[in-house]
Amino acid sequence: MNKIANVAEGPAIETVQINVEVNGVAYTRYVEPRLLLSDFLRQELGLTGTHVGCEHGVCGSCNVMVDGSTVRSCLVFASQLDNAKIETVESLGRVNALHPLQKAFWEKHGLQCGFCTPGMLMTAKELLDRNPRPTRDEIREAISGNLCRCTGYQTIIEAIYSAAYEMQGATNG
Amino acid sequence: MKPAPFRLERPDTIQALCRALAKHGDSARILAGGQSLVPMMNFRLVTPEVLIDINRVDGLDYIRLDGDALAIGAMTRHVTVKESALVKANVPLIAKAYDHIAHVTVRNRGTIGGNLSHGDPSSELPAVAICLDAKFVVSSSEGNRTVRAAEFFKGMFETDVSPGEFLSEIRFPVAARNQRFGFDEFSPRHGDFAIAIATVALEMKGDTCVSASVVHGGVREMPGQVADAEAALRGKVVSGEQVALAAKATASIEPTLQNYHGDAAYKSDLLRALTARALSQAIGEG
Amino acid sequence: MAKESHFLEMSRQEEQPRSKYNWIGKSMKRVEDPRLLTGKGKYIDDIELPRMAHAAVMRSPHAHARIVSIDTSKAKKLPGVLLVMTGKEAAEVTGPTASFASPPVTQWAIATDRVRHVGEPVAAVVAESRYIAEDAIDLIEVQYEELPPVVDPRDAITSTGDAVLHPERGDNNVAMHRILNFGPLAEDFAKADHVVKRNLRWSRVAGMPMETAGAVVDYDEGTGKFTIYANTSMYNYVGWLIAVSLKVSASQVNIIPTLAGGSFGSKLFLHKVPTIAATLARAVGRPVKFIEDRMDNIMSSDNHASDRIYEAELAVKDGMMTGLRFKVIDDYGAYLQYGYGTHGNALSQVTGPYKIRSVGMELTAVFTNKGQQGAYRGFGSEVANFVLERLVDAAAAELGEDPTAFRERNLIEPDQFPYKIPTGNVYDSGDYPAVLKQAKTMLDYDGWRKKQAELRKQGRYIGIGVATCQERSVFSSTEFWFLNPNETPGFTLTSSPEGIQVKIDPTGKAFATINAPFWGNSPETMVVQILAEHLTMDPADISVSYADSDAGLNGTGPGGSRYTVMIAGAITGAAKKIKTKLLKVASHMLEADVGDLELVDGHVSVKGTNQKKSIPEIALHAHYFRLSMPLEDRELTSGIDATHVYDHPFTTMPKEDRSDLGVFYPIMGNMCHMPVVEVDIETGRISFLDYVAVHDAGTVVNPMTLKGHIRGGTAAGIGTAIYEHLHYDKAGQLTTASFADYLIPTAFEVPQDVRAGHVETPSPFTEFGIKGGGEGGRMGAPAAIASAVEDALRPMGIRVESLPISPRALREKIRESERLKA
Ligand SMILES: Cc1cc2nc3c(=O)[nH]c(=O)nc-3n(C[C@H](O)[C@H](O)[C@H](O)COP(=O)(O)OP(=O)(O)OC[C@H]3O[C@@H](n4cnc5c(N)ncnc54)[C@H](O)[C@@H]3O)c2cc1C
Ligand code: FES
Ligand code: FES
């Protein structure tokens, strides 16, 4: 562990060094052990696409991918993630080059306020990585840990379902 | 909702873990998947001085057959257990219970050892462990000791793991051919902790039940055996009538764990219904 | 009551409904979405200013207590802490928060000497990080002297002594008691051949958006000006009240709206959070971010919703409902920010879609030691829908009639509009039988009834629910105050406008600036579709932004299902001005008479010829070629721009004695919800087998987004009906203060397919005949689900009288019924 003064007027806070790859970019950072991954991404790296809705693991707004699996970024400390590969919603598509999932959410009206959306997208991405042709029931199961207060979920399920077919179509032919 | 400061230890080996535990004693907490501990830290209900992150410790993440037991390393993630063919084939009751545990993202990170060490009476796994008479391997720099499930749980959020120790392995007896299992629970929403749980393991000889293990969960500070229900089944041909009698016998369990979502009367009702359903499932009529 | 055609003369409608549109009525993809989908949407917590510090608030653990002393010395010494401020210290510089109640209820953003609910702020900390701010809170020592908590609203009526929350307002906890009767009430009850009575309970829930409330405030000591970023609404309506609290002039507060991650009313006029952040920023001399965490938000975001106990009666004569009367106690919690607006609101449609001719209300509003009420999708009218529909179902059941047949007979008929209801409000238009009929057809109501009977023989409990409800839209501000005491009505405002600014840039693209925030609805998409319709432009050539309060025109913002109707009015006004200018410039370019020109397909052309100029050509000319146009035309200025502020399309004043409340919510939507549920009688679980929701929101601008409101609102209504409850125990502790206990439905608790249908009865008062639909399914779902569950358990004689019908609560009823049978 290192001891460095990391805030101007603050105390010497014990920090730990982590090397992480986030959305393909390598970072070396010294972080306070208690810094939540959600705060690390949002505050240290400026990746504000990851949203924080409850900070107690229930809403799923903060879901990001760590080493290929989703985690609640509000329930993991950045200090635990040395050498991890992290992907956030910013890794999917860009405004002018949407990922098929983002496109499908757009077309099927799978979002209203958009606050749950990054977490939903990452959860959906994980599902399709593991199961490229899910049934609607499998999709429902997969997103059941993500709360959405706006949509009633139906259009989210449709969006993921149609994205799966879109993506399959693209790879099959 | 940010956690209080703590110091972090990141041991890589079991030896280093033992040393860290010995060094910090009761000022330290083990951090496994963090899916129960970190919410409590974010609420500042728990403010450990030292956190010993065991995610990097080698040799705690495995599922293997070992004699007549299926041994699962404490740091095996829920997702691994849930999807394991070895588990499905050898301890089918665990697989049944996992249909009710949390959500995919929580299961990706949470561990079976963390779950059982947490000692949450509303969790599925403690009830299953008691039902199957699983053995818990508790380790420290002094060596290993083995504890029966029924003795491992000491109370709500309390286990037999003392400062300086950790849970390293859980050993579930491999199901015998003549064993039948059932699991059911009620939770208000999909994936929530249970308000009540019933889980059963029956040893059958033909249609007759030779021995029965009927366990409740979520209704008292600890899951436990429903002796009267077991008695109602033992030595009987298990039919609808017997199922009803056994379910009725759960009335002897007085629910003491109450909250907004479940008062005593409701939990009693649930326990009766769920026991019947778990039994029907076990005998293939559910 | 009869058709009141004279009201039509008051219509200011300029754009009549058309049989064909270019863009209105299309399920256009939302223009808001790409940035939200890519993580580029800027929500409040995404705002970061240089040197920004972070605030956290210490909250009362007690429901009711006097603050004896606060010791902040340890907290102040913690490295990284910049400021610790108690309520008393804050009150030296910042006044009480705004109250729309009359007489007002004094409330401080941070409590000064007394806390009145669990979670009420008692001190605030500013630190280098939120982590350190929370560390400091743990070091603040507060000594409380506990006072008796008032939790049961019935007890509140008789509270005395220390249990009285606001002694300066009287010696008990009754905030107001008021009786209002409309129509021949006594006669209707005297002549009734059947009177239905029910005691009903609607419990406390909240909008609970996924994003909490927050603010980032920068204070410029040199100019004395606050720049406030916040996810609040109504900032161009009553935002200046924050300046009043801060004791500065309105021009010294600029409020910049951010995207809101949902509101559902909860952020309607979010002011306490920005006020706290501003107070701290001024004191500490650095920008301050204060974002509620979920605990803060559940306990104390001024957003709890109606919490009511009803004794209600319905008079029926010859199968026709005639009179409705009720006593209602409403538990407003510890303060009263919006007065009794939720009851004013409910009186706009209290008789539902039915020909009920008299109404009596006895309202007792009380204070208790709970979070204060705010707004939530329905603003009290969803409760009135539930109450009325429970009575209607009861009447049908007691008279032995099918609930849809009973309703059908009692519905206002399509040729009776505009229809004045007893309270004075007017329903503009509707076709209620058509809505009911479509729902029945879509559900296959008769088919389900047969299936229900068959399954009942197998011991399954299937229920078919029905609710035919109103969704009033476009509030008029009179509802906020007309229930205040006649002698002290308070600030009797009568405006609730909505403004827009539209510019055509030199390249011919349109740029609109609106004066209300995005909070999950689709304001940009609505503007693009409606403006494209008016200007015959390609939607891709229109963009939209949000004005801050410095630049803003009047704008009331979303709420009460008003935004689409109101912005359509504003757009219509602005587009007319833009069109006039386009024609004028084109007339000079084409050397033709304005009267001979028309705007078609993005071009101004001379009628009957092929001479034309495109909007980009005209725009360029208008911006840069003033000398090429006649100088005599003095009014012709460079550029193309217009602003327009649209006032409520049709509202009138209440009578002084409140015997008639005037027209205050006339743009009337209607809906029929029909869920089919199954009850597991052993566990009390309710599951959905089918769900049909037919809505009439007048002319539909975007069917896809309207369906979104119907389905999303239905999911929220399911939460209200079955899962959610802000439950306080006897000590006034909130026992459901986390997302693990406050149960928002997941994808598993909602129907797999809420089959939504539309009937379109255009309004004669609004532009294009649009009605509001934002509050959506939540207006009808709780009533419909209660109906379905009661129907399922009819063989047991169980009544659903209290929400939420949680599995526990339902099982309790079933157990009782089983016990009686045994
Ligand atoms: C939204 C949500 C829903 C959930 N739903 C369910 C559910 O339905 N059913 C259910 O059972 N669980 C549920 N959980 C909890 C989940 O199963 C957790 O993973 C589990 O309870 C704890 O495991 P963990 O590995 O995350 O342990 P941690 O949270 O890291 O630790 C839990 C406790 O155990 C101690 N500990 C951990 N490992 C050891 C060890 N090897 N030896 C000694 N002590 C140790 C820790 O110090 C801590 O006190 C849910 C969680 C969330 C966030
Ligand atoms: S913010 Fe992480 S689960 Fe809600
Ligand atoms: S879109 Fe608003 S919470 Fe899901």
Side-chain angles (χ1 to χ4, degrees), chain C residues 348-349 351-352 412 417-419 421 426-429 432 470 666 668:
Chain C
S348 67
Q349 54 172 54
T351 46
I412 297 165
F417 295 96
Y419 185 93
I421 69 163
V426 166
Y427 297 172
D428 60 344
S429 65
Y432 305 156
Q470 303 297 78
M668 193 54 63

Side-chain angles (χ1 to χ4, degrees), chain A residues 56-58 72 75, chain B residues 29-40 54 74-75 77-78 100-103 106 109-118 120 122-126 161 165-168 185 191-194:
Chain A
H56 54 280
V58 184
R72 305 279 205 229
L75 298 186
Chain B
R29 269 279 184 142
I30 290 174
L31 172 63
Q35 303 301 291
S36 294
L37 182 58
V38 181
M40 293 193 304
I54 61 172
M75 277 306 288
R77 310 273 174 198
H78 289 316
H100 301 268
I101 299 178
H103 316 280
V106 173
R109 191 84 196 155
T111 65
I112 188 165
N115 181 297
L116 290 164
S117 303
H118 190 49
D120 189 329
S122 302
S123 167
E124 293 77 1
L125 293 174
V161 178
E165 293 184 318
F166 69 101
L167 173 65
S168 58
E185 72 167 48
D192 279 341
F193 280 100

Side-chain angles (χ1 to χ4, degrees), chain C residues 220-257:
Chain C
D220 181 333
E221 205 185 318
T223 59
K225 182 145 184 163
F226 293 90
T227 302
I228 301 181
Y229 297 82
N231 49 6
T232 181
S233 184
M234 286 192 165
Y235 65 96
N236 272 320
Y237 188 44
V238 284
W240 58 275
L241 289 170
I242 294 176
V244 174
S245 291
L246 294 170
K247 300 185 181 172
V248 298
S249 73
S251 64
Q252 281 173 305
V253 166
N254 184 29
I255 303 174
I256 304 174

